[in-house]
């Protein structure tokens, strides 16, 4: 499951809307081992394309050095689909190489209502996971026993 | 010549979990061969058909080797080689 603050969801959706019809992309970093997305880092789509996204290689190096120096990892890696549903494409799956990351997809094909979904992508296998949007991590339940079953 | 190589999370299964390892060589190709000798399986994740795999970015210090000769990129004693998976998709 991805548990994520509402302001971070809003920031991803705003970025996706802003760059539409090109794909938008970025990372939400968090402390290593925490699985808690905290620091929103929108990235430039070097491909500037409605069907492809790619972090610029210089930006990528800077991003990872910066995260390393803060003991952070990319907890969320997000990008938008601007004409299709929020499900990983074959290209998304072939490139996915952060087995611990939540891959978040935002679809902006509907101008009014966005679609946001989250996946694990490990060794080419896609597993969708629930997204729990919270106002604050401080008051959020963390233990599986504390979370009521949802219908 | 010894260089320090930063290994991304997804390849650390080949380095016993280590984030950085030492390697030797005067070119990136030699460094990768030396890595392979000590951490079997790494080369196949980096090189395909004699060129760098398109899914990985490799840097010598701050420079993407795609703009510096690819596998023939020169490395010098004390250089840092950083391997990062490309973040891309469709």
């Amino acid at each position: 499951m991805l548990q994520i603050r509402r302001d971070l969801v809003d920031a991803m959706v705003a970025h996706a809307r802003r760059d539409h019809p090109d794909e938008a992309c970025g990372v939400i970093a968090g402390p290593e081992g925490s699985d808690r997305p905290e620091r929103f880092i929108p990235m430039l789509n070097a491909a500037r394309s409605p069907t492809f996204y790619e972090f610029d290689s210089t930006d990528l190096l800077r991003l990872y050095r910066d995260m390393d120096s803060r003991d952070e990892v990319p907890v969320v890696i997000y990008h938008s689909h601007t004409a299709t549903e929020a499900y990983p494409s074959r290209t998304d799956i072939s490139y996915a190489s952060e087995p611990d990351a939540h891959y978040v997809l935002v679809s902006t094909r509907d101008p009014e209502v966005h679609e946001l979904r989250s996946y694990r992508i490990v060794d080419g296998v896609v597993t969708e996971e629930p997204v729990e949007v919270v106002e604050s991590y401080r008051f959020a339940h963390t233990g599986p026993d504390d979370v009521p079953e949802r219908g | 010549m010894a260089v320090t190589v930063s290994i991304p999370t997804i390849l650390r299964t080949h380095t016993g979990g280590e984030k950085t390892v030492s390697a030797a060589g005067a070119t990136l190709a030699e460094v990768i061969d030396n890595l392979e000798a000590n951490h079997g399986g790494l080369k196949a994740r980096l090189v395909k058909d004699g060129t760098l795999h398109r899914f990985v970015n490799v840097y010598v210090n701050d420079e993407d080797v795609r703009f510096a000769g690819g596998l023939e990129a020169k490395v010098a004693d004390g250089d840092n080689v950083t391997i990062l998976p490309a973040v891309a998709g469709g």
Side-chain angles (χ1 to χ4, degrees):
Chain A
M1 182 186 74
L2 170 63
Q3 186 182 72
I4 184 167
R5 282 195 335 246
R6 184 175 306 281
D7 61 298
L8 297 170
V9 169
D10 292 347
M12 285 189 288
V13 172
H15 184 201
R17 288 288 185 205
R18 200 161 60 237
D19 285 9
H20 185 94
D22 286 347
E23 293 193 6
C25 55
V27 159
I28 308 176
E32 190 172 1
S34 71
D35 201 32
R36 198 171 63 235
E38 290 189 346
R39 192 164 66 91
F40 181 70
I41 311 166
M43 300 292 289
L44 278 179
N45 177 2
R48 287 187 176 76
S49 160
T51 56
F52 192 72
Y53 80 96
E54 181 166 32
F55 291 9
D56 171 79
S57 81
T58 304
D59 292 350
L60 180 73
L61 180 64
R62 197 176 300 134
L63 169 70
Y64 271 80
R65 286 214 176 132
D66 190 33
M67 288 192 295
D68 260 0
S69 71
R70 297 163 181 257
D71 294 320
E72 289 175 340
V73 294
V75 177
V76 166
I77 297 173
Y78 73 89
H79 77 282
S80 63
H81 282 177
T82 58
T84 57
E85 68 172 325
Y87 191 85
S89 66
R90 212 177 307 169
T91 317
D92 293 335
I93 298 164
S94 63
Y95 272 98
S97 39
E98 288 288 358
D100 299 327
H102 303 269
Y103 283 88
V104 169
L105 278 98
V106 180
S107 174
T108 55
R109 67 176 165 177
D110 183 316
E112 304 297 330
V113 183
H114 70 269
E115 183 190 18
L116 183 144
R117 294 160 73 181
S118 182
Y119 307 87
R120 298 288 191 172
I121 308 177
V122 180
D123 294 331
V125 178
V126 177
T127 310
E128 185 163 9
E129 59 182 1
V131 177
E132 186 192 8
V133 179
V134 296
E135 301 305 323
S136 156
Y137 297 133
R138 178 189 284 190
F139 302 110
H141 296 296
T142 50
D145 294 332
D146 297 326
V147 180
E149 288 290 325
R150 293 185 181 198
Chain B
M1 287 193 277
V3 298
T4 304
V5 184
S6 299
I7 306 290
T9 308
I10 195 163
L11 297 183
R12 286 178 200 155
T13 50
H14 299 283
T15 61
E18 291 296 322
K19 288 184 182 182
T20 59
V21 296
S22 296
T27 64
L28 180 60
E30 290 180 16
V31 167
I32 290 175
D33 283 339
N34 184 251
L35 279 176
E36 177 67 19
N38 296 308
H39 310 283
L42 266 182
K43 185 174 180 175
R45 306 292 296 273
L46 302 175
V47 179
K48 191 182 179 190
D49 301 329
T51 58
L52 278 173
H53 207 294
R54 68 191 171 99
F55 297 125
V56 295
N57 291 2
V58 180
Y59 306 83
V60 174
N61 299 323
D62 289 344
E63 187 160 30
D64 185 335
V65 298
R66 282 200 178 83
F67 310 112
L71 287 170
E72 297 313 310
K74 298 272 184 291
V75 294
D77 204 27
D79 277 353
N80 289 297
V81 173
T82 303
I83 302 167
L84 289 176
V87 181

